[in-house]
Amino acid sequence: MREALPFVGHFVTRNRGTVGGSIAHADGAAELPLCLVALGGTVVVAGPAGRREIPAEEFFVTHFTTALTSGELVVETVWPLAATGE
């Protein structure tokens, strides 16, 4: 993750964008969705039916398409901790 962040978009994107926004946008060329999937993270969403956790590999359906349903928002991303010594 640390190695990927310097490559996220350009200066304005890195300073005005949000992690949740990048995840919800689901751009196949974006670094944050790729990192979340590669690291085995989870996306927490909330909507009219309540909260649910979706594994990143299931959250991203295809380019710019996610498993979000009508009225749901990304409210949290869960990133696994690196193993000790990494």
Side-chain angles (χ1 to χ4, degrees):
M1 182 67 176
R2 177 181 62 232
E3 293 172 10
L5 285 178
F7 299 100
V8 172
H10 52 78
F11 180 78
V12 173
T13 303
R14 285 192 302 275
N15 289 283
R16 292 187 185 165
T18 65
V19 171
S22 178
I23 298 301
H25 188 59
D27 185 343
E31 292 80 7
L32 291 176
L34 172 66
C35 287
L36 192 61
V37 171
L39 295 172
T42 303
V43 181
V44 181
V45 302
R51 291 172 65 102
R52 62 187 180 119
E53 294 186 18
I54 308 167
E57 62 188 25
E58 296 174 18
F59 180 78
F60 300 105
V61 176
T62 189
H63 197 63
F64 297 118
T65 305
T66 69
L68 287 170
T69 61
S70 181
E72 285 186 321
L73 296 172
V74 173
V75 295
E76 182 180 352
T77 56
V78 180
W79 300 78
L81 295 175
T84 304
E86 291 186 27

